[in-house]
Every structure is written in C-alpha cells, then in structure tokens.
C-alpha cells in the first residue's frame, strides 16, 4: 500500500518475469505512442513483447487503450488481466478497473480521477500528471506531453533502459523541429524524476536470461511485416484504395516500391484498384491489391475475372468487424467464406491466414510464390488485431529470402496455348515474340486453350476442371500439418489467424493441469491440407476457436468448412463477436464445456 510521503520507506526491488500494462485514456492523449515506445524498447532489450489496442471509430476520437505485455520468456498473448493500469480520466478508471487483478498497481492522474475511498484491492498511486506536465512544459505543448510524462513514471517504476528510450525518441522525433525533441525529453525527464517512491513501496525489474547467439530481433506490427513480406516475395507493383485497417500497408507500399523500381497506385475506387493490379500482373509483373471486408466485396467481380483468366495476383484482406461498415476499428474473423466463395460462379482460389506478426512476413512471401507458380489469385487474411499488434521476433535472413522478379520474355512458338489443358497456365506478357504473329487472347469469357471465347459445353467442363485441379495440386504439395502438444488425446483445439497465441497459451496451461490436449493452427484454408482427417481421428473432441458468429446452425465459418469436408461430429465451435481478442479463460471455459475435467465431473451435482 502507499506510504506516508512525510516518512518514506526506501522502495524495494521486485524481480518479475513479465508484466501486463494497460494504458487507458483518449485517442488524442498519445496512448498508442507510449505503448509503441514500450514495445520497441522491449524488442531492443531482447525481451518478448505483445501488444493490443483499441481505437475509436469516429474522427472526433474518444476512449482508447493500449495494452503491452512484455518480459522474459515466451509471450503468447496480450494477457487476460493487467498487473498495472494507468488511467488518465475518470472513465478510464471506471471502464478498466475491473481488468486490473487484485494486488495490481493502479497509477492514475489525480487531476482527473477520483477513487472510491474504501476500495483497497489495489496498490493505488495518484500523481497529478496533467498539472506536472504543464509545470514542466508550459505553453501549448503541455496537452501533448502528459503521455511522455507518464512514460517517464513507468520507466522509473520498471527500471527501464532510459538510454535506449532516448535513442527511440531521437529516431521518432529527430526529423522534426528541434523544440519537439527537446519537449519530449523535458516531459519524459519530469515524469522520471517524480519521487514515486514516496507513494509506491517497490520498483519492478524484469528477470534477465542468458544471452543467446541467435539472430537479432526486430520489432514491428503485423501490417509492416506483411508489407515487407510482399516486397521480399518480389511484389513491385500494386494498387489500392484507403480503408481501415488496410491503409497503412498501402501507404508503406506507395513509399517503398519506387525504391525497387516499382510503383503503387492509389486508385479512385476499389474496382479501379483491383483492375489496375490485374493489369500489372497481366503485363508480367506480379501485383498486389488489398482492402478490408467492405472493399473486398467491391473487388469481387474483377477477382472473378482474374480467376477465369488465370491471372496471378495477391489479395490482402485485413479483416474487421462487419457486416457493412460494422466495427471498423475492432477485430473479427468473419471474411473467411467471403474469401473462398465470394465471387459469382465456381471461382477456386487460394486462401492463406497469418497466425502472428512474424508469420505475416512469411505468409505474404509464400502467397507471392503460389500466385506465380500456379497463376492464380491468392488471398492473405490478417485482421485488425494482427495489423496493429507489435511483436518482437528473429530478424529474417533477407539475403536468402529476397526474390528479385524478372519479366518472362522467352519467345513463344506459333502453337503456344496459355490455357493448355495439360499444363499450368503461363501467360505471355504483351510484347512477347510469338511465332506466326498471333498473340493469345485473355478474356473473362469462358475460352478454349488459346483463349478464344467458347460456349462449348465440353470445353467449359474441361476448363472448370483445369482451374479446380491446380488448387488440388497445391493441397498435395503443402507441408505436413504441425500439432503442438499431445499427438492424440481428449481435445484438439483448432484455430486460424490471430487466435494462435491465446490458443497456444491455453493448451500449455491445460497440459500443465494434466489434460491430454493438442493445438493445430491452420494456415492453409483453401485448399485445406490433406492430412487433417487423419489428425482429427486421433482426438475425442475437436474445438474450433474463431472470432465470428456461430451462424444459424451453431458453427463458425471454419468449423462449417471442416464439418462439410470431414463429416466428423466431434467438430464443435467456440465463437465470439464482441470485437475483442480471445482471452485464455474464455478458451479454457470452452474446452471445459465440451470435455469436463475429472475434478469438475466429480463436483457436478447428481441429477435425480
């Protein structure tokens, strides 16, 4: 509990493995900046880190949070409850105090927050953050400085590396006016020098682990990792239209692709964007387009054309809450069936799903390879959680992974057939020399092997089989599925996308309690891996965890696909649509509901 400031007791140091820090205020307060600085500091200090944020959907702003879990050892989720809550306003305190675990530390701006006098569940530390920021900065800068003051407080409480933080400040603000960086350091220093030990009886210090000789770490969010993966995969051209949360990928590509001799176009609308991207790919340059759910809907007609014409294309969907405008700044996984079946007609294409920030890099690169090899549109599914989440991971070996694209200018013979029924389609870029001077046609109409429009019933059936067969060929070439935990047993927890971390942490805890349980995260969703049926047969229960609605018949979108594919009644669903990521306790409750533990069974009341 806080000490009397007139008679301070020297604060003790407490070693901790990790901490969940929730920052709550308004979007205008720079909450995301504090969290970003903490996350990047963790990455540079060889610590694990994972973040979670919510931002208001309105331009005028509103309540916002940024949650950071950082420390030593593997961090798989952002945490179910906070060890430390920083509340800037009364609504910040009232809305989030229930998330702070008993015995945790509540740091609050005493200029704006009034506490219940008889609530002694937490260590309460009141600091007049707003007034002290004004005192330190004065002028108009004070309103933008209290986040840095608060970061100074946190740096002292957690004994963070101030030198590395100042390097991050310089990188972030060094290009601005000189007084900006000066005010940043003034606000930070004011917070760091505040005599917090007068009201807090202990400091916290993260346990250190032995230095490893592994590769250096990088720290970034999912959208940045996905962008870099596209570049590493050889994408040099693309087109898009702004929409949250895809827009940051578009902006990064617009800035980066010219450095590699390419270009990214911001089109006048979604249909123009996808059509331009298809044009780039038709010209022999693998291209990317992307959006979120509403924008993907607008692209669907053109994507059907790309499937019919067998044009290689990478399509990125950063999912958010729907339908319609829905929850534009919240997380959901409700565009899976849209990605697979969204177009009119039978429209087979590839759908991949990234499981964490690191995988955003690798799956984007893999999507480029599949699109080129099989001349097919490839969807990459991410979501709002991955887009904004910051994680630290091993730096990729770019020298080994970077693909430098080249234009296929090889001469084609007079009998060249781009849609040869016996081979995977390989288009000739415009300008390619074709013996005889007859250039093949490319059309959205059904066509023969040369691309000429054809309404022949037998040819249509053959072309449908051709487009389907190459997706089946991809399934045959997929690597074996990896099961974490028990290879057989009571429960297999299945997920896709950003549910990976919470599921993995849940399974670790359940195994520690003696349950025979495994975890399978499906990265390849269309086509599905060929070994899933055999894996499913080794478990009594299969729980599919996903952030979408349970639908009319009680099953989420992936669970519906799996039940249709394998007709396995053991497949059950655990769904949520509250716009928030899964908590560990929610998944554990879902497991308990379908497979009660022996202790719970013994305690259950006997039915008459």
């Amino acid at each position: 509990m806080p000490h009397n400031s007139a008679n301070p007791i020297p604060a003790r140091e407490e070693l901790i493995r990790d901490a969940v820090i929730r920052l709550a205020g308004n979007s205008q307060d720079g909450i995301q900046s504090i969290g970003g600085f903490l996350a990047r500091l963790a990455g540079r200090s060889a610590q694990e880190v994972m973040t979670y944020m919510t931002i208001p959907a309105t331009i005028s702003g509103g309540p916002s949070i940024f949650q950071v879990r950082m420390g030593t050892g593997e961090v798989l989720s952002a945490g179910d409850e906070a060890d430390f809550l920083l509340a800037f306003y009364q609504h910040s305190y009232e809305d989030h105090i229930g998330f702070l675990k008993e015995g945790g530390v509540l740091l609050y701006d005493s200029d704006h927050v009034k506490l219940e006098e008889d609530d002694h569940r937490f260590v309460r530390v009141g600091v007049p953050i707003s007034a002290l920021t004004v005192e330190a900065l004065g002028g108009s800068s004070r309103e933008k400085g209290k986040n840095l003051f608060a970061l100074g407080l946190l740096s002292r409480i957690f004994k963070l590396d101030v030198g590395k933080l100042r390097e991050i400040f310089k990188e972030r603000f060094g290009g601005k006016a000189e007084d900006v960086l000066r005010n940043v350091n003034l606000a930070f220093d004011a917070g760091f020098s505040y005599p917090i030990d007068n009201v807090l009886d202990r400091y916290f210090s993260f346990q250190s682990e032995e230095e490893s000789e592994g590769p250096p770490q990088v720290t970034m969010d999912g959208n940045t990792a996905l962008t870099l993966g596209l570049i590493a995969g050889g994408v040099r051209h693309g087109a898009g239209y702004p929409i949250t949360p895809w827009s940051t990928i578009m902006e990064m590509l617009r800035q980066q692709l010219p450095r590699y001799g390419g270009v990214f176009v911001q089109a006048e609308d979604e249909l123009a964007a996808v059509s331009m991207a298809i044009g780039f790919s038709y010209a022999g340059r693998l291209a990317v387009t992307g959006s979120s759910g509403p924008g993907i809907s607008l692209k669907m007609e053109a994507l059907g054309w790309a499937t019919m014409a067998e044009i290689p294309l990478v399509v990125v969907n950063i999912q958010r809450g729907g339908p319609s405008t829905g929850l534009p700044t919240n997380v959901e996984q409700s565009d899976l069936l849209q990605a697979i079946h969204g177009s009119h007609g039978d429209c087979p294409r590839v759908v991949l799903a990234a499981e964490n920030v690191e995988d955003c890099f690798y799956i984007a690169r893999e999507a480029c390879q599949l699109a080129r090899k099989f001349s097919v549109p490839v969807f990459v599914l991410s979501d709002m959680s991955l887009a904004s989440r910051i994680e630290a991971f091993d730096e990729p070996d770019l020298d080994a992974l970077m693909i430098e694209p080249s234009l296929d200018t090889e001469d084609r013979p007079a009998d060249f057939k781009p849609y040869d029924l016996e081979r995977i389609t390989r288009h000739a870029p415009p300008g390619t020399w074709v013996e005889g001077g007859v250039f093949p046609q490319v059309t959205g109409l059904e066509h023969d092997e040369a691309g000429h429009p054809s309404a022949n019933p037998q040819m249509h059936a053959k072309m449908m089989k051709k487009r389907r067969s190459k997706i089946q060929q991809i399934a045959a070439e997929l690597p074996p599925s990896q099961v974490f935990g028990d290879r057989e047993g009571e429960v297999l927890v299945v997920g896709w996308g950003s549910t990976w971390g919470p599921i993995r942490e849940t399974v670790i805890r359940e195994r520690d309690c003696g349950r025979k349980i495994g975890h399978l995260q499906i990265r390849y969703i269309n086509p599905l891996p060929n070994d899933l049926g055999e894996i499913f047969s080794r478990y009594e229960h299969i729980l599919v965890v996903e952030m979408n609605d349970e639908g009319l018949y009680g099953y989420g979108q992936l669970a519906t696909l799996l039940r249709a594919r394998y007709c396995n009644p053991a497949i059950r669903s655990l769904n949520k649509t509250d716009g928030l990521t899964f908590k560990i306790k929610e998944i554990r409750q879902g497991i308990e509901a379908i497979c009660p533990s022996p202790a719970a069974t013994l305690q259950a009341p006997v039915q008459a």
Side-chain angles (χ1 to χ4, degrees):
M1 297 300 296
H3 295 295
N4 188 322
S5 58
N7 227 352
I9 299 174
R12 60 186 172 86
E13 180 178 337
E14 180 177 322
L15 286 177
I16 56 175
R17 286 193 60 81
D18 67 46
V20 177
I21 305 169
R22 173 167 285 203
L23 314 167
N26 289 332
S27 55
Q28 302 94 329
D29 295 321
I31 297 292
Q32 285 75 31
S33 295
I34 310 176
F37 290 143
L38 288 173
R40 284 172 172 78
L41 174 64
R44 298 187 186 190
S45 304
Q47 293 173 330
E48 288 291 319
V49 63
M50 184 174 291
T51 69
Y52 171 74
M53 63 180 282
T54 65
I55 56 177
T58 56
I59 295 175
S60 58
S64 176
I65 69 164
F66 197 106
Q67 184 167 311
V68 182
R69 185 178 182 186
M70 57 190 293
T72 308
E74 191 172 26
V75 172
L76 297 172
S77 74
D80 276 13
E81 54 185 3
D83 303 294
F84 199 100
L85 172 64
L86 169 57
F88 279 108
Y89 304 105
Q90 191 68 26
H91 68 76
S92 309
Y93 161 67
E94 293 173 354
D95 292 347
H96 299 284
I97 192 62
F99 193 80
L100 183 63
K101 68 181 183 182
E102 289 198 24
V105 177
L106 169 63
L107 175 63
Y108 62 96
D109 187 343
S110 57
D111 291 326
H112 296 289
V113 179
K114 303 301 178 186
L115 303 185
E116 298 177 12
E117 292 297 330
D118 58 347
D119 188 352
H120 301 294
R121 294 172 295 167
F122 317 106
V123 178
R124 304 187 297 179
V125 182
V127 178
I129 295 175
S130 296
L132 291 175
T133 304
V134 172
E135 183 179 314
L137 299 182
S140 60
S141 299
R142 63 184 184 275
E143 292 301 325
K144 296 184 179 180
K146 64 182 181 181
N147 60 335
L148 278 307
F149 184 98
L151 181 59
L153 286 172
L154 294 173
S155 299
R156 179 157 183 170
I157 292 170
F158 286 96
K159 300 189 72 174
L160 302 180
D161 191 322
V162 173
K164 289 181 179 178
L165 271 174
R166 293 198 193 280
E167 291 174 8
I168 296 173
F169 295 160
K170 189 173 182 179
E171 293 169 9
R172 174 67 176 82
F173 301 106
K176 298 182 181 294
E178 185 178 336
D179 63 322
V180 173
L181 182 58
R182 182 178 66 250
N183 285 338
V184 165
N185 283 302
L186 279 173
F188 176 83
D189 290 341
F192 189 81
S193 62
Y194 181 81
I196 195 72
D197 47 356
N198 287 352
V199 290
L200 185 65
D201 64 356
R202 62 191 183 276
Y203 293 117
F204 301 94
S205 181
F206 292 107
Q207 295 178 6
S208 60
E209 290 192 341
E210 295 181 6
E211 292 288 335
S212 63
E213 297 183 358
Q217 283 197 317
V218 292
T219 307
M220 64 184 67
D221 60 49
N223 274 5
T224 301
L226 204 154
T227 303
L228 297 178
L230 292 170
I231 294 172
V235 167
R236 299 293 180 265
H237 298 78
Y241 186 78
I243 184 173
T244 301
W246 144 265
S247 296
T248 55
I249 294 178
M250 185 182 78
E251 289 303 316
M252 283 184 278
L253 288 171
R254 185 180 61 80
Q255 295 170 5
Q256 295 297 323
L257 289 186
R259 302 180 182 182
Y260 297 88
V263 63
F264 190 93
V265 179
Q266 179 175 321
E268 65 267 28
D269 55 42
E270 294 283 9
L271 186 56
V274 64
S275 299
M276 287 181 184
I278 290 172
F280 282 130
S281 286
Y282 169 65
R285 305 290 190 181
L286 175 65
V288 63
T289 189
S291 191
S292 190
I296 297 295
S297 296
L298 295 171
K299 295 179 187 289
M300 279 303 176
E301 182 179 1
L303 290 176
W305 192 97
T307 300
M308 173 64 83
E310 298 188 58
I311 299 292
L313 185 69
V314 178
V315 184
V316 176
N317 183 355
I318 312 297
Q319 301 167 93
R320 67 189 204 185
S324 186
T325 309
L327 301 172
T329 58
N330 288 77
V331 65
E332 206 164 272
Q333 294 178 302
S334 51
D335 294 347
L336 180 61
L337 296 182
Q338 178 199 46
I340 299 173
H341 301 301
S343 291
H344 53 282
D346 293 307
C347 196
R349 53 200 175 211
V350 180
V351 179
L352 312 177
E355 60 189 25
N356 54 32
V357 171
E358 180 179 18
D359 196 38
C360 284
F361 173 86
Y362 290 101
I363 210 160
R365 182 180 180 277
E366 188 171 358
C368 299
Q369 293 176 297
L370 289 172
R372 278 197 196 89
K373 181 176 180 179
F374 293 95
S375 198
V376 64
V378 179
F379 267 82
V380 176
L381 296 182
S382 179
D383 59 44
M384 182 67 192
S385 171
L386 282 179
S388 58
R389 178 194 301 170
I390 298 173
E391 294 180 21
F393 56 93
D394 292 344
E395 182 178 348
D397 183 356
L398 291 180
D399 290 337
L401 296 173
M402 200 75 173
I403 295 173
E404 290 299 334
S406 60
L407 190 64
D408 179 10
T409 57
E410 182 180 345
D411 293 350
R412 267 61 169 184
D415 61 350
F416 169 66
K417 297 182 292 187
Y419 299 106
D420 192 323
L421 291 170
E422 304 303 320
R423 295 177 179 82
I424 293 175
T425 291
R426 288 288 182 271
H427 287 291
T432 302
W433 178 261
V434 180
E435 295 291 339
V438 179
F439 195 81
Q441 292 190 34
V442 178
T443 174
L445 290 167
E446 188 57 281
H447 44 256
D448 62 18
E449 292 175 280
H452 301 134
S454 171
N456 180 280
Q458 289 76 29
M459 180 57 67
H460 178 54
K462 290 177 181 178
M463 283 294 170
M464 292 293 290
K465 179 181 178 182
K466 169 182 167 62
R467 292 188 288 269
R468 177 191 349 116
S469 295
K470 64 180 177 181
I471 308 299
Q472 293 171 324
Q473 183 179 339
I474 292 173
E477 296 183 10
L478 294 178
S481 300
Q482 300 297 314
V483 176
F484 171 83
D486 293 297
R487 304 280 299 175
E488 59 183 25
E490 302 170 85
V491 182
L492 176 67
V493 185
V494 177
W496 65 279
S498 63
T499 58
W500 178 84
I503 293 176
R504 180 59 56 90
E505 186 167 335
T506 299
V507 168
I508 290 172
R509 294 189 189 184
E510 289 288 315
R511 294 185 78 220
D512 289 343
C513 294
R515 192 188 288 275
K516 295 278 286 182
I517 187 171
H519 170 208
L520 173 64
Q521 199 75 3
I522 301 179
R523 297 173 75 248
Y524 308 99
I525 302 183
N526 198 57
L528 290 165
N530 289 335
D531 58 1
L532 293 186
E534 188 277 328
I535 293 172
F536 290 168
S537 69
R538 303 200 298 258
Y539 296 86
E540 298 173 30
H541 304 277
I542 300 159
L543 184 65
V544 183
V545 177
E546 48 188 329
M547 292 179 287
N548 51 50
D549 190 59
E550 64 180 32
L552 298 180
Y553 309 111
Y555 300 99
Q557 295 187 18
L558 178 60
T560 296
L561 291 172
L562 295 176
R563 286 179 67 89
R565 171 67 180 85
Y566 298 106
C567 300
N568 187 333
I571 297 173
R572 307 280 290 278
S573 266
L574 177 62
N575 303 85
K576 63 180 293 182
T577 54
D578 57 7
L580 305 174
T581 56
F582 267 103
K583 294 180 179 178
I584 310 302
K585 65 181 180 182
E586 292 173 333
I587 303 176
R588 297 188 80 173
Q589 288 167 357
I591 294 169
E592 192 70 23
I594 65 168
C595 183
S597 60
T601 304
L602 290 174
Q603 294 172 9
V606 177
Q607 298 295 319

